[in-house]
């Protein structure tokens, strides 16, 4: 499988190590840095990073399951977990979700030992691990929230709220997240604002969207395999009928699992009526969700889930190997190597021209992986460019230089492109279409990129700020 834009973008993180980054915390950057230092700058090393960390997650999930399930149920939980496309995605794409899922699972294991086995030192370990999960992705804020939710709802454990242990746990959490806090403080809390208030601003004033809700349901059913997803929904209906909303009647071990499943699952499902919920946002919820549903799911449905998973994974393997279905998106593993080779040829023809793209981060990130020089993003034309705004961001150094602009035609709609994007004329004196790069696979066109030579760059009078 070729490089994904996400692989390349987080490798870009690792080339510029920092306490944190604009759109995500730093854990994935440091993991990629370690692996590339050990094994070199190769696509397979990026994949290896994701695969090995996900293997640790699988082992951690197994040990976590042993605390809540008997031997038969543990086997069912492992089959269910490994059958999902979620685990497949985590093992193939190096993203912040990869360390998040590992540290999320380890945090739950430590909390189990602290709460149910009363091993006091594991309160500290739980805090540190929850902090490392937060250092992976901000979704991990649901870990301390779930812990306190459980302590409040559990009649037996509520007394721990008046003990020092939960607060020592939170002290460990604060220590672990200190790098992210420091970076945000140094940058006017821009990352926290990007992931919270900026997203909430987009929700304000929006109407209910049934299509976004149905899209979320479809995506979640896909990554879990529909049998497992709709069994989870059925399980929630069953437990509601059985216990109502009287949490005191729910067995304590199940209550623990639900406290780390329901807030994420229900919260993002509700949000999907107003905002497009990304496929990976609910992933951590399924750690305890799968453990909980394994208490109810019989072996017949586990076998059906496994058969469905094998069929879907076989189809996915065929897609990767032979690419029968063309993905008209930049979120694909196809065509990047060919693009890099063609752009390298153009660089030889126009050696003093810098390279940039403006399709969010994807093309720029991938070309950065292939090139030894900086490839810029849409900050060149005055637009927000995520982490690119914080790396080599003194664009005045490029003043007067020529540039090669790479424009991805992801929908394959324009066979030739002679009219440049109008915005380029605000930053360059002259823009000329010089080439269309077409990538074919088995005789079929699968990717297209238009290349423009832009002369005499001037950054503009108003410097972009976040």
């Amino acid at each position: 499988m070729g490089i994904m834009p996400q692989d390349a973008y987080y490798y870009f993180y690792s080339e510029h190590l920092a306490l944190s980054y604009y759109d995500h915390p730093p854990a994935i950057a440091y993991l990629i840095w370690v692996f590339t230092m050990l094994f070199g700058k190769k696509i397979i090393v990026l994949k290896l990073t994701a695969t090995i960390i996900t293997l640790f997650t699988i082992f951690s999930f197994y040990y976590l399951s042993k605390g809540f399930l008997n031997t038969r149920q543990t086997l069912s939980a492992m089959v269910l977990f490994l059958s999902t496309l979620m685990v497949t995605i985590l093992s193939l794409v190096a993203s912040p979700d990869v360390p998040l899922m590992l540290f999320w699972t380890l945090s739950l294991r430590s909390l189990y030992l602290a709460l149910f086995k009363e091993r006091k030192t594991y309160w500290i370990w739980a805090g540190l691990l929850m902090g490392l999960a937060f250092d992976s992705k901000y979704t991990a804020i649901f870990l301390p929230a779930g812990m306190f939710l459980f302590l409040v709802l559990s009649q037996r454990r509520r007394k721990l709220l008046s003990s020092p242990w939960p607060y020592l746990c939170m002290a460990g959490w604060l220590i672990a997240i200190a790098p992210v806090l420091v970076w945000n403080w140094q940058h006017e809390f821009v990352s926290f604002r990007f992931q919270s208030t900026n997203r909430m601003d987009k929700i304000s004033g929006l109407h209910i969207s049934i299509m976004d809700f149905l899209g979320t349901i479809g995506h979640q059913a896909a990554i879990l395999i529909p049998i497992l997803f709709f069994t989870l929904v059925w399980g929630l209906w069953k437990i509601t009928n059985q216990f109502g909303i009287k949490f005191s009647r729910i067995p304590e071990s199940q209550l623990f699992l639900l406290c780390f499943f329901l807030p994420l699952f229900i919260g993002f499902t509700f949000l999907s009526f107003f905002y497009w919920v990304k496929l990976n946002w609910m992933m951590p919820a399924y750690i305890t969700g799968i453990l909980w549903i394994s208490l109810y799911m019989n072996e017949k449905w586990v076998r059906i889930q496994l058969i469905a998973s094998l069929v879907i994974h076989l189809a996915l393997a065929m897609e990767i190997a032979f690419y029968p279905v063309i993905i008209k998106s930049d979120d694909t593993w196809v065509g990047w190597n060919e693009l890099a080779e063609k752009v390298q040829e153009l660089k030889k023809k126009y050696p003093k021209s810098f390279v940039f793209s403006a399709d969010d981060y994807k093309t720029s990130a991938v070309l950065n992986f292939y090139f030894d020089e900086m490839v810029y993003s849409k900050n060149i034309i005055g637009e927000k460019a995520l982490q690119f705004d914080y790396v080599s961001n003194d664009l005045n150094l490029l003043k007067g230089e020529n540039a090669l602009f790479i424009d991805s035609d992801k929908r394959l709609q324009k066979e030739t492109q002679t009219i440049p994007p109008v915005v380029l004329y605000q930053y360059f004196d002259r823009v000329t279409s010089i080439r269309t790069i077409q990538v074919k696979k088995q005789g079929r066109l699968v990717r297209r990129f238009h290349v423009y030579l832009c002369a005499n760059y001037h950054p503009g009078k108003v410097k972009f700020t976040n």
Side-chain angles (χ1 to χ4, degrees), residues 323-353:
Y323 205 57
V325 179
I326 297 174
I327 300 172
K328 294 183 179 181
S329 168
D330 290 322
D331 282 316
T332 179
W333 59 93
V334 174
W336 296 117
N337 185 59
E338 293 86 347
L339 171 66
E341 290 177 356
K342 299 300 182 183
V343 175
Q344 286 281 25
E345 293 175 6
L346 288 171
K347 279 290 294 177
K348 293 178 182 178
K349 188 174 180 180
Y350 305 98
K352 295 183 180 181
S353 301

Side-chain angles (χ1 to χ4, degrees), residues 397-451:
L397 297 175
L398 301 175
K399 187 175 182 179
E401 293 191 14
N402 296 339
L404 293 172
F405 173 61
I406 316 299
D407 188 18
S408 172
D409 179 15
K410 61 185 179 182
R411 300 295 181 189
L412 304 177
Q413 293 177 331
K414 300 176 182 179
E415 186 173 346
T416 59
Q417 177 69 289
T418 57
I419 303 175
V422 175
V423 67
L424 295 176
Y425 289 102
Q426 299 178 35
Y427 297 88
F428 295 92
D429 290 343
R430 189 170 61 257
V431 181
T432 308
S433 176
I434 59 172
R435 185 169 183 179
T436 294
I437 297 172
Q438 299 198 118
V439 180
K440 294 185 177 181
K441 199 173 181 67
Q442 299 175 346
R444 298 179 307 148
L445 179 67
V446 295
R447 301 294 305 277
R448 181 187 286 130
F449 302 87
H450 304 291
V451 185

Side-chain angles (χ1 to χ4, degrees), residues 17 48 63 114 181 202 236 271 276 300 328 450 464:
L17 290 178
L48 189 67
Y63 284 109
L181 296 177
K202 293 180 181 179
L236 292 176
L271 181 63
W276 180 251
K300 171 188 173 183
K328 294 183 179 181
H450 304 291
F464 171 77

Side-chain angles (χ1 to χ4, degrees), residues 104 139 142 260-269 281-282 284-285:
W104 185 286
T139 316
F142 282 91
F260 296 96
F261 168 57
L262 289 180
L264 269 168
F265 185 74
I266 294 178
F268 281 126
T269 300
W281 288 2
M282 292 192 202

Side-chain angles (χ1 to χ4, degrees), residues 2-247:
I3 193 169
M4 289 287 289
Q6 292 81 2
D7 294 320
Y9 183 58
Y10 299 116
Y11 175 79
F12 178 69
Y13 273 22
S14 74
E15 284 189 303
H16 308 278
L17 290 178
L19 295 178
S20 192
Y21 299 89
Y22 174 77
D23 42 342
H24 287 294
I28 186 61
Y30 283 87
L31 288 171
I32 291 174
W33 180 82
V34 169
F35 275 81
T36 51
M37 287 291 290
L38 291 174
F39 304 111
K41 180 184 176 181
K42 303 172 185 176
I43 295 173
I44 195 172
V45 173
L46 298 179
K47 305 298 183 184
L48 189 67
T49 304
T51 300
I52 290 179
I53 300 304
T54 300
L55 280 172
F56 281 116
T57 302
I58 292 167
F59 291 133
S60 302
F61 179 84
Y62 168 72
Y63 284 109
L64 177 64
S65 67
K66 288 170 66 70
F68 297 93
L69 309 174
N70 61 34
T71 302
R72 183 192 65 78
Q73 292 165 343
T74 296
L75 177 60
S76 294
M78 291 300 296
V79 171
L80 292 173
F81 186 58
L82 289 167
S83 71
T84 62
L85 280 174
M86 173 178 71
V87 171
T88 307
I89 293 168
L90 289 168
S91 65
L92 286 176
V93 183
S95 71
D97 298 286
V98 174
L100 169 68
M101 294 292 278
L102 173 61
F103 293 125
W104 185 286
T105 311
L106 290 173
S107 298
L108 295 174
R109 174 66 179 171
S110 294
L111 282 173
Y112 164 78
L113 292 172
L115 286 163
F116 293 93
K117 298 299 181 181
E118 298 183 355
R119 298 182 186 178
K120 304 300 185 185
T121 55
Y122 278 91
W123 283 105
I124 308 299
W125 282 113
L128 293 171
L129 289 165
M130 286 194 294
L132 290 173
F134 189 85
D135 291 339
S136 304
K137 200 169 183 178
Y138 296 135
T139 316
I141 194 67
F142 282 91
L143 279 170
M147 178 187 74
F148 281 106
L149 180 63
F150 173 72
L151 292 176
V152 169
L153 296 179
S154 172
Q155 290 183 333
R156 184 180 174 189
R157 309 291 174 179
R158 197 173 298 157
K159 60 185 179 181
L160 286 168
L161 288 169
S162 59
S163 75
W165 298 110
Y167 309 103
L168 287 173
C169 176
M170 293 309 297
W173 180 75
L174 285 171
I175 291 170
I177 70 170
V180 177
L181 296 177
V182 170
W183 188 92
N184 271 276
W185 179 77
Q186 292 173 338
H187 296 86
E188 299 178 345
F189 298 96
V190 65
S191 183
F192 290 158
R193 288 191 283 112
F194 171 73
Q195 293 290 3
S196 56
T197 56
N198 286 8
R199 294 191 186 275
M200 291 303 105
D201 288 344
K202 293 180 181 179
I203 296 174
S204 178
L206 294 183
H207 299 292
I208 292 176
S209 173
I210 299 299
M211 293 305 297
D212 282 355
F213 166 74
L214 293 176
T216 297
I217 297 299
H219 277 160
Q220 298 309 306
I223 67 167
L224 286 187
I225 308 302
I227 292 89
L228 175 55
F229 178 80
F230 289 109
T231 303
L232 277 170
V233 175
W234 165 82
L236 292 176
W237 175 82
K238 180 176 179 179
I239 200 172
T240 302
N241 282 348
Q242 184 177 358
F243 300 112
I245 58 173
K246 295 181 179 179
F247 297 105

Side-chain angles (χ1 to χ4, degrees), residues 277-292:
V277 172
K278 293 185 179 180
L279 177 143
N280 55 341
W281 288 2
M282 292 192 202
M283 280 185 178
Y286 299 131
I287 295 291
T288 53
I290 291 173
L291 294 180
W292 170 69

